[in-house]
Amino acid sequence: MRTRKQARIITRRDTLTFLGAIGASTAVAGLFGCGDGGDASTPSGGSSGSSGDGSSGASPGGGSSAGPGSDGGSGAFDAEAGAKLDAGGPQSGFIGSYANLNLQAHAIYSIDMALMDYPQWTFAPDSGETRVHEVGTWWDGGDALRMHPPTVSERGSGIGAITNLWRNATFAIRELNFRFEWQAGPEYCSRSQLTPKFVIAHSSPALDIGSPVRNRPMLYLPQVNEADNATLNRANTLTIVPAQGTVRSFSLDPYSENGTYYGNQVQPFYFANTDGTFNGRPVIGANQVITFEMRMLAIGTAAHPRGLIAVRTYLRNGAVYERGCPWDWDAAATLNTSYLNEIQMFGGGYFNVGNPAHPNNYTRVGGLITLAANHGGWLGPRPGFVV
């Protein structure tokens, strides 16, 4: 049986090089209703641990403040797999440029990719990965970034770092929602290599500009080929998994405190090049545009005494699938002491094994990139996404 220690599939510290964002543009306000309510923000008892394994990221930088924004009200939401969204819609808050991102002024802020100042992330110039900004290709007529994964091992591609969310350690973020829209290329699921890190977020153990990265809430996109039981494996198929650092949590349940570190359970849904089913669960084909919302809760609450690292996957037909684990899923992770401050990278992936170049092996992120600080619940997809 594999142990938690063996589940640390990447032990090296990732040192990242960031491409700076350029330019700034005007922002437009938007007010919408939101999804469900959620946790009270008062911390409850929770376990604490020693320092976890982190990676070194960019030094926090400054950011411009934007004008005032406004938030909507809350409504009911059914979190069960396959549930339909209720009327009222999600919250999108203030929409503008990356240069003007300020969660202290606007608790919900969406970066408009059409303004083209979102940061792009690269590991090294020899990675072999490529990125193309596409104008008007997204479902709503917005822009997208197409990312072809690295051809060299131990490299990555994606968007990021979305940094200094804590405003030079003057703004305490104990809960962070992160939402983006994504599509796999026609052959991405059959060509993607070895369990890429899909989203990497950073938190620090003190509200201090000099505080190091400690806990890293993450999402992975592993191939479905790890199970000890062969009936749980499927070729050219991926799933999405929450993790604290390199310790992943596989489970069929929307939230689990006793999942498996490898894919030894049926998962709520899967990704492949074409639609289908597997072990009675839906397989989402590469033709579909998806909204991912990651919710990170670094404190204990009444609803989540051990904190939370979770993801909801929203389909355009209204179906919703959820996976989550506790913040302290890795025993080294510290609860009630961490401050979220950065999305290091997302949308493409960090790969231990290079991907042979192919025109159909890519991912896209498009439209709006949304963040919410200390929101207390889920945002849901943005207006117009569900049809």
Side-chain angles (χ1 to χ4, degrees), residues 222-237:
Q223 290 277 352
V224 183
N225 61 4
E226 302 180 1
D228 299 320
N229 181 347
T231 65
L232 299 176
N233 294 328
R234 187 178 193 262
N236 303 323
T237 304

Side-chain angles (χ1 to χ4, degrees), residues 97 124 145 261 279 291:
S97 65
L145 182 69
Y261 309 135
N279 283 331
T291 293

Side-chain angles (χ1 to χ4, degrees), residues 155-354:
R155 300 292 188 268
S157 177
I159 301 176
I162 301 177
T163 193
N164 198 30
L165 299 176
W166 64 354
R167 310 297 295 171
N168 294 322
T170 63
F171 177 44
I173 303 176
R174 313 308 292 273
E175 179 183 5
L176 183 67
N177 290 56
F178 175 56
R179 182 182 70 192
F180 61 97
E181 295 165 4
W182 181 87
Q183 185 181 37
E187 296 181 50
Y188 176 76
C189 294
S190 58
R191 295 180 180 273
S192 177
Q193 299 290 316
L194 192 62
T195 194
K197 296 177 180 178
F198 185 51
V199 178
I200 306 173
H202 282 168
S203 69
S204 295
L207 194 63
D208 184 331
I209 196 70
S211 182
V213 170
R214 176 173 290 174
N215 299 148
R216 295 186 301 159
M218 296 168 58
L219 300 177
Y220 280 78
L221 275 183
Q223 290 277 352
V224 183
N225 61 4
E226 302 180 1
D228 299 320
N229 181 347
T231 65
L232 299 176
N233 294 328
R234 187 178 193 262
N236 303 323
T237 304
L238 311 179
T239 190
I240 192 164
V241 183
Q244 178 60 270
T246 59
V247 182
R248 302 170 299 165
S249 171
F250 290 84
S251 177
L252 176 61
D253 299 326
Y255 173 79
S256 177
E257 296 185 355
N258 57 1
T260 57
Y261 309 135
Y262 286 80
N264 286 325
Q265 298 184 23
V266 174
Q267 298 304 297
F269 67 96
Y270 302 89
F271 300 110
N273 293 340
T274 57
D275 295 330
T277 59
F278 177 56
N279 283 331
R281 308 305 299 179
V283 176
I284 300 169
N287 59 305
Q288 297 197 46
V289 177
I290 296 160
T291 293
F292 291 118
E293 182 181 359
M294 185 179 182
R295 185 176 172 215
M296 295 156 273
L297 187 60
I299 57 174
T301 67
H304 295 288
R306 294 178 58 187
L308 183 68
I309 304 170
V311 58
R312 281 186 177 176
T313 301
Y314 306 96
L315 305 187
R316 299 205 68 193
N317 66 4
V320 182
Y321 304 97
E322 181 173 344
R323 277 294 345 278
C325 66
W327 177 270
D328 63 357
W329 174 243
D330 179 354
T334 54
L335 187 68
N336 299 329
T337 62
S338 294
Y339 297 86
L340 290 146
N341 51 48
E342 179 178 85
I343 303 295
Q344 186 183 35
M345 63 89 69
F346 73 97
Y350 177 86
F351 291 84
N352 293 100
V353 177

